[in-house]
Amino acid sequence: MAETYYYGSIGNLNTGIEAPVERKYTIIQSLWTKPITDKTRLRDTMFIAALSLAFAHRNGYKVHMHTDSKGVELMKNFGYEKLLPTLDKIPDSVPIDLFAAGKFYALQEEGVLGKIHIDIDVFIKKPYLLNKFYEDKTIDVIGQTEEPYDELDYLDHLMPHIFTIGYPAETRPSWRGCINTGTIGFNNRELASKYMSNYFNALKIYTADKFAKYRETHPNAWLGFDFILEQINLSYLSVGYNVYTLLPTKNPSGVADEIGYQHYQGGAKWKEENLTNMKRWLRKLDSSLYIVALAASRKALR
Amino acid sequence: MGKIVLGKVAFTPQGEFNPNKEGGYERYDLVYNDLTMYCSMKDNNTSPISDAEAWKPMMDIDLNYSLIERGSGDMSIQQKGTGATATGHRDVALGAKANASGKNCFAFGWNTSTAGYGNFAEGVQTEAANVGGEGINGGCHAEGVQTHATGDNGSHAEGCRTNATGYSSHAEGYSNDASGESSHVGGSGSVASARNAFAHGNEVIANQPASVAFGHFNEAKAAKEDGDYLLFSVGGGRRDATTKEVTRKNLLEIWRNGDIFFCLNNTGMFRLQDSAFLITKLIQVLVGKNVITTSELEYDSSTDDEIINNGGNSLEVKPYSVITDDDITDVTDEDKDEKNPDPEPSKDNPDPYPYPYDDGIGHLPQLPDDGVNDEDVETTE
């Protein structure tokens, strides 16, 4: 029988959020600290990750965090159900530009199937928001949003090299969208296998050495590559599969507020006023976790 | 003459040592425990296996005297003194720098490596490592020199510098790449990058689903985006000795797009062209469908079928084993300016690629100031 968790000092917060619920399913998170070379970013990341954890715990999910040794040292007191240095396995040949690599290594470590990975800036604000995926195995893949993205033409010629599975090399699909993978999980073995294979095969081609040269002329190349490897990869491969996206393409933000989902993607989360608000929420949800995250943030600056 | 009662004189194998065996073991019962065989020295033997009076080691497989040793993984073994490492569950690593990780993997030979589940690598610098782990698929097999079998579900690479990276793909020969799902490639420098594609020859490409390519510098490619599959292509291209450019000429293509099209593209092959009628009829008999030659198609401008004559396409897909840095850096400034401005970050424009949802998706309601400042809060290590 699953244990019901209640912690410390929350009480009746009168914040509109419901009481903690039984934790039924496991979600995966990952934090690869190597690409975060700015210590202040790493400091702020501690609070964001803690808030994401607090929301997940409160709304019915156990959390397995896959990070590296540095991340384990920083987050060892956060209270994850599992905290693993999985990302130490990422070889030096993987360019830090591809920061989503941590997500793939985490998924691989967990066996890929049957679990959802959410980014550390994703907040699950209502109970059991993701349970449909866990309980309906006819869902082949869960993603966040189908989004248009049309600014990758200059990388077109690279796609046949990147996609070794499932990509029609000579025929560019008419729909160039991507699937935002702030939330991603697979129930379909074949689809998961193709998706992961494409990514790891591409890592063998686009090594850190090659990326270093590419970066000289294309400093923002990481953006395009990450979109292709992570998000367009999924959109291409998942055609014909049962794809369950949490949010619609139109008005995703409005629907997100309705269903209790948030992805603080983009640069807004680093703004001082937003970080301040996130810390307030963290103190509301779990004041003891705030103390732990604060200690971690101070350690991150050393 | 007196009688001597010898008692039990036969050895009785009893399998793995069970410390809780009811009634204990009889004299001369043989058990094994942790790679060592022991003989019971008494009846009703309930003594622990460490009791030297009760149990005598019969065949001490002491790994200190062996060429192999335990690996760091659970129940794994590795060759001693060779740099071989067996780090996963039930892995075996034999040979210098052989590295077996994952589960139930076998790495055999110099600098071979395995990962994933149930994979097998042998030879020199081979790699068998499906990416999915136990929960997905396994059974990759790499053999030869610098071969890589990393696709899921039984990918197989053999020969030299071959890569089987597709799902259930097979690559053999030299410098070939089978990256399509269930694809098969052989010869040298060839690519089977599409699902169920088959490529065999010298730098031939099969990059359409279910396509087949043979010959030199040939490419089985679809000319129509929404067309059906090309079934069969035999090529006769060439590589310019000076410029190194590859020209692809298809001597023979057979298409399926409702009907069967039979195409002869190389005007230099008179003898083959003369035989077109005969071959056409032969295919008609074989497949029972209408068969049309390229020359007939080209006269019919009311259809778009003349695009079927697509000989002479340039090579764009190469196995990653032959990709050079030029493939990465060949986006010119001209391309960049024309298709995408690709601006540089600057103080005025720190984020030149504003994301459509740069403020995030969903909102975190603003909470009132709770009077807490980070600086005022004490923390301990």
Side-chain angles (χ1 to χ4, degrees), chain A:
Chain A
M1 179 177 163
E3 187 178 352
T4 301
Y5 297 79
Y6 295 93
Y7 30 83
S9 57
I10 327 169
N12 180 9
L13 300 174
N14 195 24
T15 56
I17 54 176
E18 299 176 32
V21 296
E22 178 184 319
R23 294 177 197 166
K24 293 181 67 175
Y25 297 112
T26 300
I27 57 179
I28 310 166
Q29 293 197 292
S30 58
L31 175 62
W32 187 23
T33 66
K34 186 177 175 182
I36 309 176
T37 53
D38 182 348
K39 287 185 176 180
T40 59
R41 278 286 168 89
L42 188 58
R43 175 198 64 191
D44 297 341
T45 300
M46 293 298 103
F47 292 108
I48 298 169
L51 182 56
S52 181
L53 172 66
F55 270 123
H57 269 172
R58 188 172 182 82
N59 289 308
Y61 298 96
K62 304 168 189 172
V63 181
H64 292 179
M65 167 59 82
H66 295 263
T67 179
D68 44 32
S69 298
K70 187 176 181 181
V72 168
E73 180 59 27
L74 290 173
M75 300 188 289
K76 60 187 177 185
N77 296 322
F78 274 33
Y80 292 107
E81 273 70 15
K82 278 188 183 177
L83 177 63
L84 302 167
T86 306
L87 307 191
D88 284 344
K89 295 179 183 177
I90 299 179
D92 290 339
S93 61
V94 176
I96 59 173
D97 309 69
L98 303 179
F99 54 79
K103 178 183 301 183
F104 286 81
Y105 277 85
L107 280 167
Q108 180 186 359
E109 184 70 16
E110 293 276 354
V112 186
L113 295 178
K115 291 179 184 172
I116 293 176
H117 181 287
I118 64 169
D119 291 353
I120 60 167
D121 53 1
V122 165
F123 306 146
I124 307 299
K125 298 191 286 190
K126 285 193 177 178
Y128 305 135
L129 177 63
L130 306 173
N131 279 24
K132 183 177 177 182
F133 168 85
Y134 289 100
E135 292 164 2
D136 182 358
K137 295 303 179 187
T138 65
I139 294 173
D140 292 326
V141 59
I142 183 175
Q144 177 186 292
T145 329
E146 289 184 2
E147 297 173 352
Y149 203 87
D150 298 324
E151 300 176 20
L152 295 171
D153 288 354
Y154 73 109
L155 289 173
D156 262 5
H157 71 294
L158 294 174
M159 290 200 183
H161 299 306
I162 292 175
F163 292 110
T164 53
I165 293 175
Y167 181 76
E170 297 296 325
T171 307
R172 197 178 96 165
S174 57
W175 184 68
R176 302 277 341 272
C178 57
I179 294 180
N180 189 308
T181 54
T183 292
I184 182 173
F186 293 93
N187 280 328
N188 185 290
R189 178 184 298 270
E190 181 184 54
L191 179 60
S193 174
K194 290 177 180 177
Y195 181 67
M196 301 290 285
S197 296
N198 264 353
Y199 190 86
F200 283 100
N201 288 338
L203 288 189
K204 292 178 182 175
I205 303 172
Y206 298 99
T207 59
D209 291 345
K210 288 180 177 175
F211 233 95
K213 294 178 182 176
Y214 199 57
R215 204 183 296 128
E216 291 173 2
T217 52
H218 298 77
N220 296 299
W222 64 269
L223 182 63
F225 273 80
D226 241 15
F227 266 108
I228 294 173
L229 294 177
E230 187 187 0
Q231 304 196 8
I232 294 181
N233 183 10
L234 183 58
S235 72
Y236 282 169
L237 290 178
S238 60
V239 172
Y241 287 95
N242 183 10
V243 183
Y244 168 47
T245 49
L246 286 169
L247 307 173
T249 303
K250 291 183 178 178
N251 190 27
S253 203
V255 174
D257 287 339
E258 288 177 19
I259 67 172
Y261 179 88
Q262 182 172 10
H263 187 180
Y264 232 137
Q265 62 196 48
K269 59 178 168 285
W270 307 115
K271 293 178 181 174
E272 187 61 34
E273 61 269 29
N274 292 337
L275 279 166
T276 300
N277 192 39
M278 278 190 264
K279 291 175 189 175
R280 289 173 188 163
W281 272 94
L282 183 55
R283 288 193 286 270
K284 284 276 189 183
L285 290 170
D286 187 346
S287 57
S288 58
L289 181 54
Y290 162 72
I291 301 293
V292 171
L294 181 60
S297 71
R298 288 170 175 167
K299 192 183 290 184
L301 289 176
R302 293 175 199 156

Side-chain angles (χ1 to χ4, degrees), chain B residues 241-261:
Chain B
T242 305
T243 67
K244 305 299 183 187
E245 288 185 359
V246 170
T247 303
R248 296 182 184 282
K249 293 286 187 182
N250 294 320
L251 300 179
L252 170 65
E253 294 178 351
I254 302 175
W255 292 71
R256 184 185 68 191
N257 192 8
D259 289 331
I260 300 294
F261 299 133

Side-chain angles (χ1 to χ4, degrees), chain B residues 68-84:
Chain B
I68 60 172
E69 61 186 356
R70 290 192 181 90
S72 60
D74 178 32
M75 301 184 73
S76 63
I77 59 173
Q78 61 196 29
Q79 191 169 5
K80 289 174 63 175
T82 62

Side-chain angles (χ1 to χ4, degrees), chain B residues 60-92:
Chain B
D60 190 354
I61 310 174
D62 188 340
L63 296 180
N64 287 326
Y65 300 99
S66 171
L67 293 176
I68 60 172
E69 61 186 356
R70 290 192 181 90
S72 60
D74 178 32
M75 301 184 73
S76 63
I77 59 173
Q78 61 196 29
Q79 191 169 5
K80 289 174 63 175
T82 62
T85 56
T87 58
H89 182 69
R90 296 178 188 270
D91 286 343
V92 177

Side-chain angles (χ1 to χ4, degrees), chain B residues 301-318:
Chain B
S301 60
S302 63
T303 73
D304 60 356
D305 287 334
E306 57 266 66
I307 62 174
I308 205 167
N309 185 352
N310 70 327
N313 292 294
S314 61
L315 174 64
E316 292 179 357
V317 180
K318 290 186 285 188

